[in-house]
Amino acid sequence: MRVLVVEDDRALGPFLRKGLELEGHRVELAADGEAALVSIAEEHPDLVLLDLSLPKRDGMEVLAELRLRNVDAAVLVLSGRSDVEARVQSLDMGADDYLLKPFSFFELTARCRALLRRRLQFADPVLRHGDLELHRVEHKVTRGGRPIGLTAKEFALLEYLLLHRGECVTRSQLLADVWQMPTETGTNVVDVYVNYLRRKVEAGAVRDANLSPNQGGLIETVRGSGYRLGGPGRKPVARDPGRLCPAPAVAYA
């Protein structure tokens, strides 16, 4: 899971981040309400662990803003407020669960797993973009009904692009989120794998539809920025104006 921990306690926040990373999750940490909303818009987490007593914007304000934006992340409130009113208000405002501090880390991870199971029951297991389909459970990809064989890393790269369709995705983002590598790493692995993926995804469409190579393109290179999923059926996703692609000329590497 992609998890956002929203906690201003300088000891508890890093502890939760490290523990959840050891559980295999990708974890970001925000220390105040405003930073949390920015991170949610940029990272699209599956789960938010939300403290209520936060600087700048408190947890209740963050909850209200999430529901106003129709964010579909699960929210687990972590709070030292033991009164029934706080628990009821949090749940009524859209929180999925409420855990009272101090708590057992084992109980926290069990609740996280339960929320993930609940989320997967209702999540669409198929990501679509035009005639391209990625089946997340069956781990297969088709375009125009034709199966496309991808390696595990190519599959993860395509899944990431589909989850961020309509947005600029930088090489640094891909290194951090798909490869879990430092963004300052001097490597061209992203460009190499984008080209691998592009050839596989676009070859079938060009061959089956008798298109020219330029007509089959879905993965666009935005000069000086990175990549985005474009081509037929592209629908820009207006999540964060700072993340949307400009409209420069598009080049295909």
Side-chain angles (χ1 to χ4, degrees):
M1 275 194 300
R2 291 167 296 178
V3 180
L4 174 64
V5 175
V6 188
E7 174 60 67
D8 65 330
D9 187 299
R10 295 185 179 181
L12 181 57
F15 170 79
L16 292 176
R17 179 177 188 171
K18 183 65 175 178
L20 290 168
E21 286 176 340
L22 290 174
E23 290 279 318
H25 305 299
R26 292 185 299 185
V27 187
E28 297 293 330
L29 178 61
D32 62 71
E34 288 185 0
L37 291 172
V38 170
S39 184
I40 290 166
E42 292 181 349
E43 303 299 333
H44 318 300
D46 301 301
L47 173 65
V48 179
L49 302 184
L50 180 65
D51 183 27
L52 291 184
S53 301
L54 295 169
K56 297 187 178 179
R57 301 185 70 170
D58 68 25
M60 291 296 186
E61 289 184 77
V62 173
L63 266 178
E65 186 67 24
L66 294 186
R67 298 317 165 196
L68 185 63
R69 298 182 186 181
N70 293 316
V71 173
D72 64 352
V75 178
L76 171 54
V77 169
L78 308 175
S79 177
R81 295 177 57 181
S82 60
D83 56 291
V84 174
E85 182 181 353
R87 297 199 297 271
V88 171
Q89 185 179 5
S90 297
L91 295 170
D92 283 345
M93 292 182 67
D96 298 276
D97 200 356
Y98 191 105
L99 186 58
L100 185 65
K101 296 179 181 178
F103 51 81
S104 161
F105 183 75
F106 298 107
E107 181 181 0
L108 172 68
T109 55
R111 288 175 183 255
C112 289
R113 290 191 294 271
L115 288 173
L116 176 60
R117 288 194 298 271
R118 193 183 310 164
R119 177 184 175 86
L120 290 176
Q121 288 177 355
F122 298 100
D124 188 349
V126 182
L127 299 177
R128 299 177 177 86
H129 184 74
D131 61 350
L132 180 68
E133 292 188 355
L134 182 144
H135 298 252
R136 304 174 82 178
V137 176
E138 299 172 25
H139 218 265
K140 70 177 184 179
V141 175
T142 63
R143 187 171 185 194
R146 183 188 184 91
I148 300 173
L150 300 180
T151 66
K153 190 59 69 177
E154 291 165 350
F155 185 93
L157 175 58
L158 180 59
E159 181 181 31
Y160 192 88
L161 291 171
L162 282 164
L163 288 170
H164 294 80
R165 60 189 180 276
E167 299 177 24
C168 288
V169 179
T170 67
R171 290 171 178 82
S172 294
Q173 286 175 259
L174 292 169
L175 276 175
D177 295 341
V178 179
W179 275 267
Q180 286 79 52
M181 295 173 63
T183 56
E184 64 273 10
T185 302
T187 175
N188 68 340
V189 65
V190 170
D191 304 297
V192 170
Y193 269 83
V194 166
N195 282 326
Y196 288 160
L197 179 61
R198 180 179 284 152
R199 284 197 293 268
K200 291 184 177 182
V201 168
E202 297 175 1
V206 170
R207 180 173 56 251
D208 293 346
N210 295 318
L211 299 174
S212 69
N214 288 335
Q215 290 176 299
L218 280 181
I219 303 174
E220 301 175 349
T221 301
V222 181
R223 294 189 186 279
S225 298
Y227 300 99
R228 73 176 164 199
L229 204 61
R234 178 167 67 86
K235 296 181 180 180
V237 181
R239 292 190 178 97
D240 180 1
R243 292 278 303 282
L244 290 176
C245 289
V250 175
Y252 296 92

